[in-house]
Amino acid sequence: MSTIAGHFGLSAVAPVLFKAACPECRARFELSAGALRLAIGASAKTTFYSFTCPECEAMVRKPAGERIVELLTGGGVRTLRLHSTP
């Protein structure tokens, strides 16, 4: 093996893909972790993930419950923690 990963006895891992759908154009597709953003707020109402539809370029924002947060963070999606101001 000529790769650095192979040199250290590691194997390459396929990138994580997330299935998603656009509420605007109804397209269904897979997105990489880099195409998604996760915002974690103080409540369920302020916790969501977002992406741009690759078909119609609409900005999509969907609520993220505990399980979705777990899957997205585990898959390497960039996360922003929202803080409330006093």
Side-chain angles (χ1 to χ4, degrees), residues 26-81:
R26 302 260 201 233
R28 299 177 89 58
F29 39 83
E30 292 183 336
L31 296 171
S32 68
L36 294 157
R37 299 289 179 272
L38 174 63
I40 300 176
S43 71
K45 290 183 180 183
T46 57
T47 300
F48 60 91
Y49 66 98
S50 62
F51 58 89
T52 301
C53 175
E55 297 292 324
C56 71
E57 297 185 1
M59 297 296 294
V60 179
R61 178 176 160 166
K62 294 188 175 187
E66 288 182 36
R67 181 69 177 140
I68 298 294
V69 169
E70 185 179 308
L71 291 170
L72 293 178
T73 55
V77 172
R78 284 183 261 181
T79 304
L80 172 66
R81 297 204 180 268

